[in-house]
Amino acid sequence: MSYFDAASGVPLHPVARQALLASLDEGWADPGRLYREGRRARMLLDAAREAAAEAVGCRPDELSFTASGTQAVHAGTAGALAGRRRVGRHLIVSAVEHSSVLHSADIHEREGGSATRVTVGRTGAVDPSVFAAALRPDTALACLQSANHEVGTEQPVGEVAGMCREAGVPLLVDAAQSLGWGPVEGGWSLLAASAHKWGGPPGVGLLAVRKGVRFAPQGPVDERESGRVPGFQNLPAVVAAVASLRAVRAEAAQEAARLRELTERIRARVKELVPDVEVVGDPVRRLPGIVTFSCLYVDGESLLHELDRAGFSVSSGSSCTSSTLTPSHVLRAMGVLSEGNVRVSLPPGTPEDDVTRFLEVLPGTVAAVREKLGAPAPRTVVREDALVVDALGKRCPIPVIELAKVIGEVPVGGTVRVLSDDEAARLDIPAWCEMRGQEYVGEQPADRGTAYLVRRVS
C-alpha cells in the first residue's frame, strides 16, 4: 500500500518512536516537582522546549506545548484577540485558512467581533496588497497560513508580516504544513504548528507568542506553559515530537529536492495521461510533496475508493465525498474545478517506484470511474434562444457531464441553460468553461435551483 496523504498526517518517524519509548521510562513524573524524578522530567521538558524554539526561530520562553495544532490555533487567536481588545475587535484571515482558523473567526463574529476574509487568486495565494488593504485601525489580529494544506501553495508571509508590523497588527501564522521543511521567515508575532504533520506523535502542538505581543489567555489557566495552556504536559509525546522535528529538518533540503522532482513528474504526466483534468495550485511557490488535480466527469468519492483498491491512499477536496456535499472552501475560494479532486501528498522517503506505479494506474482508474458513472440521458428542451438541460436533483459531476454532452447541439454563438440545484455546479460549470474554451455567461434564478448559462464559442 502506498500512503500518499502526508498533508493529513505523516507516519511516526523512527527517531520519534525511539524518543517516545525512552521518555516513557524517564519522563513520567511531574516536571513541576523538586524531587529527583520531577527534576529529571523537567530537564527533558526544558531540553525539548529549547530544541523546538530553535527550530521555530523564537526564544524558549516564547514557546508553549499544546494538545494539538488546532488547540494552538484556538488558544493563539483567542488570546491575541483578548489581549488587544482595547485596540478593536476586527480580525483578518485568508479565505483558504485551515478550518481551525476559520472556526475561530466564526466564533469571534458570534461573540460580537468582525472578521474580514481576504480573497485569493486562482493559484490559492493572497495578494499582499489586498491583505494590507484589509488592515484597519481597529484590527486586533491577522492570520495567514505559511502554506496551504489542500493545494500546497506557499503564502507571501514575509511580505504580509512586514505590512502588519508597519500597521502595528500582530500576525498569527499557521505553520502546520511547512514547519517540518524549515522555519517561517518574516516578522510574524504568533505561530502554531502540529507534530503529526512532520512525523511526531498525534496530540502535540506548538504555540509561539513573541515578546511584546499583548496576549490574554482565555479560560481557566494554571502555572504550566507560561499560563497559556493549562493541564499536565504529555512529556513523552512532546519529547518524541521535538526529536522527530530535528530529524526531519536535518534531512529537509535533500528530501525536498527529491520530492519536488516526483511531484513535478505527477503534475506534468497527469495532464498528458488523463483527459479533461485541471492541476491546481501555484506551479512554483509550493510545498515539496503536494500536488492536487481535479478530473471532469468523475465522482470524487468513487475515485478515492478505486485508488484505495489499487493500493493508493490519497485524499480529496471534492464536493462528492461522504463527509460533505459542498465543495472544499479552498477550491471554492480559488475558483477552480472541484469535482473528481485528488490530493497527492508524499511523505518523506516515498519510493520513486510508487509514483511510477501511481501514474500507470491512474488513467485506467479514472476511465473506469467515468464509465461506471455513466452519463444519464439529459432531458433537453430546445427554446428559441437556448437549449435547456434539466439536471435538477442530480449531484456532481452529472450537471457538467450533461452540459458536455449537449454543447455540440447548439450552433457557435448559441447558449445552453443548465438547471441545477447542486451548490457545486456554481463552481464546476465556470471551471469547465475555462478548461474547454467556452464562455460562461452567468447564472439566473430559476423556479427550482439555479440556471447556469453557457455560450458555445467553438
Side-chain angles (χ1 to χ4, degrees):
M1 192 74 180
S2 299
Y3 180 76
F4 285 177
D5 194 22
S8 295
V10 177
L12 193 66
H13 195 285
V15 170
R17 185 182 300 276
Q18 295 171 3
L20 179 63
L21 293 176
S23 56
L24 284 171
D25 294 330
E26 297 294 326
W28 52 268
D30 185 346
R33 301 306 179 190
L34 297 179
Y35 43 71
R36 179 174 54 189
E37 293 86 356
R39 294 197 305 271
R40 184 183 301 134
R42 185 71 192 190
M43 289 176 62
L44 288 174
L45 181 59
D46 288 346
R49 196 183 311 278
E50 289 178 6
E54 181 181 3
V56 169
C58 66
R59 292 170 31 163
D61 59 350
E62 294 174 334
L63 187 137
S64 301
F65 294 108
T66 67
S68 66
T70 295
Q71 186 190 38
V73 166
H74 290 170
T77 53
L81 286 168
R84 286 174 49 82
R85 188 158 185 159
R86 289 185 178 181
V87 173
R89 303 201 63 195
H90 178 235
L91 170 67
I92 300 175
V93 300
S94 83
V96 293
E97 293 297 311
H98 187 269
S99 57
S100 60
V101 175
L102 299 181
H103 290 162
S104 293
D106 292 341
I107 291 174
H108 179 62
E109 289 180 307
R110 286 200 296 268
E111 293 177 347
S114 62
T116 297
R117 293 162 179 80
V118 178
T119 59
V120 298
R122 198 169 175 82
T123 65
V126 300
D127 182 333
S129 63
V130 176
F131 201 100
L135 293 167
R136 305 185 332 206
D138 65 336
T139 301
L141 177 67
C143 300
L144 181 63
Q145 60 190 189
S146 56
N148 187 259
H149 51 290
E150 288 195 26
V151 300
T153 297
E154 294 179 339
Q155 299 291 354
V157 171
E159 193 172 351
V160 169
M163 295 174 174
C164 288
R165 182 178 290 273
E166 289 181 8
V169 175
L171 177 68
L172 184 151
V173 176
D174 173 12
Q177 291 296 334
S178 72
L179 193 62
W181 297 111
V184 178
E185 304 298 334
W188 50 266
S189 302
L190 302 95
L191 182 142
S194 185
H196 73 280
K197 304 290 188 180
W198 63 69
V204 178
L206 305 178
L207 173 62
V209 181
R210 281 186 162 149
K211 295 295 182 183
V213 176
R214 292 186 177 276
F215 191 89
Q218 299 301 286
V221 298
D222 59 27
E223 72 281 1
R224 302 179 190 275
E225 299 303 314
S226 301
R228 300 188 191 110
V229 185
F232 198 93
Q233 301 97 333
N234 185 350
L235 183 54
V238 165
V239 171
V242 177
S244 62
L245 179 57
R246 295 186 66 182
V248 298
R249 279 287 191 84
E251 307 160 351
Q254 182 176 354
E255 188 61 17
R258 197 180 70 85
L259 291 185
R260 285 190 191 279
E261 291 182 2
L262 294 179
T263 51
E264 283 303 316
R265 184 186 308 176
I266 296 174
R267 288 178 63 87
R269 292 291 289 157
V270 162
K271 291 185 287 187
E272 298 172 356
L273 296 170
V274 182
D276 299 314
V277 66
E278 180 179 20
V279 180
V280 301
D282 195 291
V284 178
R285 291 179 55 85
R286 57 185 304 100
L287 290 175
I290 298 180
V291 56
T292 305
F293 56 89
S294 301
C295 305
L296 276 172
Y297 321 133
V298 169
D299 171 3
E301 185 175 8
S302 296
L303 181 55
L304 263 60
H305 284 320
E306 291 302 317
L307 287 171
D308 180 53
R309 291 177 60 185
F312 297 97
S313 302
V314 300
S315 64
S316 173
S318 173
S319 58
C320 305
T321 63
S322 57
S323 61
T324 178
L325 290 177
T326 58
S328 147
H329 72 276
V330 172
L331 300 178
R332 185 191 303 118
M334 293 168 62
V336 297
L337 184 69
S338 72
E339 67 185 55
N341 178 260
V342 174
R343 180 187 68 184
V344 174
S345 48
L346 308 178
T350 298
E352 182 179 354
D353 290 347
D354 285 6
V355 172
T356 299
R357 191 168 68 87
F358 175 76
L359 292 172
E360 292 172 350
V361 167
L362 182 66
T365 303
V366 173
V369 171
R370 284 173 173 166
E371 182 179 1
K372 185 184 297 184
L373 184 66
R379 291 178 289 153
T380 62
V381 179
V382 179
R383 304 190 330 185
E384 291 183 1
D385 59 337
L387 184 150
V388 179
V389 174
D390 186 350
L392 293 168
K394 299 172 182 176
R395 294 294 177 188
C396 72
I398 301 303
V400 181
I401 289 176
E402 297 190 348
L403 167 62
K405 288 182 66 177
V406 303
I407 189 72
E409 297 181 16
V410 299
V412 173
T415 59
V416 177
R417 193 168 183 261
V418 183
L419 301 177
S420 176
D421 51 6
D422 181 9
E423 179 65 23
R426 178 167 284 111
L427 185 64
D428 291 348
I429 290 178
W432 178 89
C433 291
E434 180 163 334
M435 292 175 66
R436 302 309 295 269
Q438 308 299 341
E439 180 185 355
Y440 178 65
V441 179
E443 61 181 71
Q444 297 176 345
D447 292 338
R448 289 177 55 206
T450 303
Y452 300 93
L453 273 64
V454 176
R455 179 175 291 111
R456 182 181 175 188
V457 175
S458 59

